[in-house]
Amino acid sequence: MDDHWLTRDTTVRRLWIAFVVILAVLVLLDVTRHEAHFTLEAIFGFGAWFGFLSCVALIVFAKALGVFLKRPDTYYDS
Amino acid sequence: MTASIPPFAILILGGLALPFLRGALRPAALLLLPLITLYLVWQVPDGVALQADFLGNTLMLVKGDTLSRLFATVFAIMAFAGSLYALNQSRTLELAAAFCYAGSAIGVVFAGDLITVFIFWELMAIASTLVVVSAGPSAQSAALRYAAIHLFGGVLLMAGIAGEIAATGSIEFRAMALDSVPRALILAGFLINAGAYPLSAWLPDAYPESSWSGMVVLSAFTTKTAVYVLMRGFPGTELLIYLGLFMVFYGIIYAILENDMRRILAYSIINQVGFMVTGIGIGTQMALNGAASHAFTHIIYKALLLMSAGSVLYMTGKRKCTDLGGLFRTMPVTCVCGIIGALSISSFPLTSGFISKSMISQGAADQHMAIVWYLLAAASAGVFLHAGIKFPWFVFFQKDSGLRPAEPPWNMRAAMIFFAFLCIGIGILPAPLYAILPFPVTFVPYTTSHVVFYLQLLLFSGLAFFLMLDWLKRSLTITLDVDWIWRKLGPAIFRWFDARSDRVWDDLRDAAGRAARGVARGVYRHHGPTGALARTWPTGNMVFWATVLLAGYLVLSYLAF
């Protein structure tokens, strides 16, 4: 039933390869970055590692908060 | 002389007339009145254009400047696109209320004094409540809670305005320092409409309960007029930096945990308004330009995202990520427009969000606010995570839900394509937007450093999203928010007191019953058929008591003389 070209394994693999190549090129392009207002920003590949780590931190924090605050979505119905 | 027609009047009167229009007149009014309003907005000169006397005050009903026209322009464009999108909406109440709502929002941004601000502020609260209410029975309780919070905000604002006028003797709406109780009350009233924590839960509570077209207009006006009044009244107030940053992360965290696609976008409104509030708190020309332009671009891309979500809701009747997925197959236009909105909200280069949000960060950098700048950068990554990828991924890709809905009707597609073009157009050619900002723009968004930095930030957020996809899988859950206090805790406390007061009442009633019965028994014992006081008194008795009295009198007279 689900045979769209976009969902085939080979397509997904190729998309991943393309994505990783783009990421690598972006990190290499960091040499063109000359603007730095703050100390951490001057470290190589700042946008890459800072963006990645921020998102990991946000997901982990959200997950932890969810342990305490998640309820079934019928919670307010009764 | 068209300049004498106040811009707000067209939409408010049009909204009131709309229910009586039949046939082709209604769509004509829906599309033309916002365009006439847009024209009138640009006819408002600088300074006071319309005055009225009210209770001994001279109200400045229409007062123009760059900032007013900027907000009124995007409100009018929004009213037009919202109408186009809602042409096939059969609920007349919603359409009429939406026009009054948009007109009142334009009234607020042209208000030159605090009393006029308050009048339009309350009109907005009423009209927006009607937009929520019109969605039907399922929206009633959320609409009531929405109205209660906004009326409370209105009370704070009115108390503040009364105090401010009493203290300063002036009704003019101008920049204020946060140095008195009335001003704190005014700020609190403004912040409630901005969706600031802790009274923010009205937004994700009520907006997603409105109809597929209702949430599109709701997303634009209330929070953005709040941004406008904060910018006009409290620029550079340091408190707003911290409050804004909190809103930014609160929005991201709750959106990550959310399953309902429209609640994801509702939390993301708070997140985006947080960026603007932070910019207002920084308060420099760069940051204020950033906040103003971000409000402008945000209205467009957020409406686009909600039009995309609304189209999915309209065609499938579903809003939960767990029920959706794989819709890109049969809804390509809705999907592509949703992705363009998602890229814009994430500030992707060549989209409108990029040329506006980065000015706020630049404002922080110029002031050497390192922590603020780092947090804004982390939040920009987080926006891509919670809205930029999450929304399109879970709705249009993810898994095959088996749903094969068609594209929505032409008018809904046209509205989406119009806004998608604006998102990209403003992103590629920011100059026209920069030209109408409140301060001269010295900012160049497209430098190599800047573009490389943002692309790294965003694409590596994307990497984090796909690597941690298992942690982001949606479940049939909600996440408790502040509204738990008035939806669960409040009623529970009420029931507790109710039960206690019942018992106290019962005890009191029993005690009163016992006392009453005791009195009745006493009366019966003394005065009943066998009671001593009820017997017929013999004459002898009377003679005896008369003798006693006389003897007493005799003794007393001896003692006295």
Side-chain angles (χ1 to χ4, degrees):
Chain A
M1 172 188 175
D2 189 22
D3 195 31
H4 196 281
W5 65 269
L6 203 57
T7 59
R8 282 179 210 145
D9 285 348
T10 46
T11 320
V12 172
R13 196 160 50 241
R14 275 181 206 146
L15 283 174
W16 264 108
I17 292 168
F19 187 42
V20 170
V21 168
I22 291 172
L23 292 177
V25 170
L26 266 180
V27 173
L28 291 177
L29 276 178
D30 209 59
V31 290
T32 65
R33 209 165 54 86
H34 300 298
E35 227 175 72
H37 311 90
F38 305 107
T39 21
L40 290 180
E41 201 189 350
I43 299 175
F44 186 74
F46 170 73
W49 61 262
F50 190 77
F52 185 81
L53 293 180
S54 302
C55 286
V56 171
L58 284 168
I59 295 172
V60 170
F61 183 80
K63 192 88 180 159
L65 193 73
V67 171
F68 300 102
L69 295 182
K70 265 194 185 184
R71 295 289 184 280
D73 58 8
T74 51
Y75 179 74
Y76 285 118
D77 294 350
S78 52
Chain B
M1 185 61 191
T2 45
S4 58
I5 302 176
F8 58 79
I10 299 288
L11 286 178
I12 294 180
L13 295 176
L16 295 176
L18 204 63
F20 306 102
L21 299 182
R22 291 282 173 267
L25 276 179
R26 184 179 292 189
L30 280 171
L31 295 178
L32 285 179
L33 296 184
L35 295 177
I36 296 171
T37 304
L38 183 60
Y39 172 76
L40 290 176
V41 163
W42 281 91
Q43 300 309 308
V44 175
D46 280 348
V48 180
L50 182 66
Q51 290 185 333
D53 287 324
F54 177 71
L55 299 179
N57 291 297
T58 305
L59 302 188
M60 293 169 263
L61 289 176
V62 177
K63 185 181 171 196
D65 71 357
T66 328
L67 187 63
S68 302
R69 276 193 295 270
L70 175 78
F71 275 81
T73 301
V74 71
F75 286 168
I77 296 174
M78 179 64 230
F80 171 76
S83 287
L84 176 62
Y85 184 74
L87 275 185
N88 55 327
Q89 173 60 268
S90 55
R91 298 183 180 98
T92 311
L93 174 62
E94 181 190 304
L95 299 173
F99 260 23
C100 294
Y101 179 36
S104 316
I106 290 174
V108 171
V109 299
F110 278 123
D113 65 273
L114 290 165
I115 297 174
T116 309
V117 167
F118 178 76
I119 293 169
F120 285 116
W121 197 262
E122 291 304 290
L123 278 177
M124 274 176 66
I126 297 166
S128 56
T129 303
L130 289 176
V131 173
V132 181
V133 165
S134 65
S138 62
Q140 300 309 306
S141 46
L144 260 177
R145 290 191 291 272
Y146 175 90
I149 299 283
H150 285 279
L151 293 179
F152 174 65
V155 169
L156 293 182
L157 184 61
M158 186 174 180
I161 288 174
E164 174 71 13
I165 294 173
T168 64
S170 162
I171 63 167
E172 197 189 345
F173 180 31
R174 56 194 163 188
M176 294 170 270
L178 186 56
D179 55 5
S180 68
V181 174
R183 290 177 172 183
L185 289 172
I186 293 177
L187 180 65
F190 287 170
L191 283 172
I192 285 181
N193 272 24
Y197 203 78
L199 284 182
S200 49
W202 59 265
L203 201 161
D205 178 20
Y207 282 6
E209 299 308 318
S210 60
S211 79
W212 50 270
S213 57
M215 190 168 171
V216 176
V217 283
L218 287 168
S219 76
F221 300 117
T222 301
T223 47
K224 256 57 74 188
T225 36
V227 167
Y228 164 85
V229 291
L230 286 172
M231 198 174 281
R232 173 81 70 197
F234 297 96
T237 304
E238 197 185 342
L239 170 73
L240 295 180
I241 299 180
Y242 313 117
L243 207 57
L245 287 171
F246 189 88
M247 289 166 72
V248 162
F249 285 99
Y250 157 82
I252 295 174
I253 300 288
Y254 272 79
I256 288 176
L257 289 166
E258 190 52 58
N259 182 33
D260 181 322
M261 64 173 174
R262 299 213 304 168
R263 283 174 60 89
I264 292 175
L265 295 176
Y267 278 117
S268 130
I269 295 175
I270 299 179
N271 158 271
Q272 293 295 304
V273 173
F275 279 102
M276 298 166 213
V277 171
T278 307
I280 297 167
I282 295 171
T284 60
Q285 292 198 349
M286 174 71 79
L288 290 175
N289 264 347
S293 60
H294 202 49
F296 191 100
T297 57
H298 169 84
I299 287 177
I300 296 170
Y301 61 66
K302 177 59 74 178
L304 177 57
L305 281 164
L306 284 164
M307 285 175 184
S308 177
S311 300
V312 170
L313 177 65
Y314 181 73
M315 297 307 293
T316 66
K318 297 182 191 303
R319 18 190 274 210
K320 291 175 186 168
C321 291
T322 38
D323 297 334
L324 295 164
L327 302 184
F328 74 94
R329 291 175 183 79
T330 54
M331 300 184 90
V333 174
T334 309
C335 172
V336 169
C337 288
I339 290 175
I340 291 173
L343 291 176
S344 301
I345 198 174
S346 313
S347 308
F348 223 83
L350 301 183
T351 66
S352 58
F354 180 72
I355 61 103
S356 56
K357 189 164 72 185
S358 45
M359 263 194 277
I360 300 175
S361 291
Q362 189 64 41
D366 292 346
Q367 296 304 104
H368 309 293
M369 298 173 167
I371 304 287
V372 176
W373 188 86
Y374 285 128
L375 289 174
L376 287 176
S380 299
V383 173
F384 195 43
L385 185 76
H386 86 272
I389 315 183
K390 184 177 173 176
F391 168 72
W393 172 257
F394 280 105
V395 174
F396 297 107
F397 302 100
Q398 186 200 178
K399 61 176 191 317
D400 184 9
S401 59
L403 298 169
R404 294 290 184 270
E407 291 278 13
W410 71 269
N411 60 301
M412 296 168 74
R413 271 176 295 165
M416 287 193 281
I417 292 168
F418 171 48
F419 266 11
F421 267 103
L422 278 185
C423 282
I424 302 217
I426 295 172
I428 293 174
L429 256 179
L433 174 60
Y434 283 178
I436 57 171
L437 292 184
F439 304 104
V441 177
T442 51
F443 181 68
V444 183
Y446 291 107
T447 64
T448 325
S449 303
H450 205 187
V451 171
V452 168
F453 167 68
Y454 262 88
L455 284 177
Q456 286 180 349
L457 196 69
L458 298 179
L459 291 183
F460 275 84
S461 312
L463 180 67
F465 178 87
F466 286 110
L467 288 180
M468 300 188 77
L469 203 51
D470 274 350
W471 283 47
L472 294 163
K473 281 258 152 54
R474 300 319 327 134
S475 50
L476 289 169
T477 50
I478 54 160
T479 310
L480 297 185
D481 201 339
V482 181
D483 58 347
W484 178 82
I485 293 172
W486 54 87
R487 295 177 73 179
K488 281 283 175 181
L489 184 64
I493 292 174
F494 177 79
R495 276 194 301 273
W496 188 84
F497 270 109
D498 200 32
R500 290 296 173 290
S501 62
D502 270 0
R503 197 173 305 162
V504 170
W505 170 246
D506 287 347
D507 289 352
L508 277 175
R509 204 182 46 203
D510 288 353
R514 272 196 303 277
R517 277 193 296 277
V519 170
R521 264 199 303 276
V523 170
Y524 187 81
R525 190 165 66 235
H526 298 296
H527 296 275
T530 57
L533 296 177
R535 269 176 256 153
T536 348
W537 293 355
T539 329
N541 256 359
M542 201 195 68
V543 173
F544 169 74
W545 286 112
T547 314
V548 169
L549 274 174
L550 286 172
Y553 181 72
L554 198 63
V555 171
L556 273 177
S557 58
Y558 276 132
L559 286 175
F561 306 104

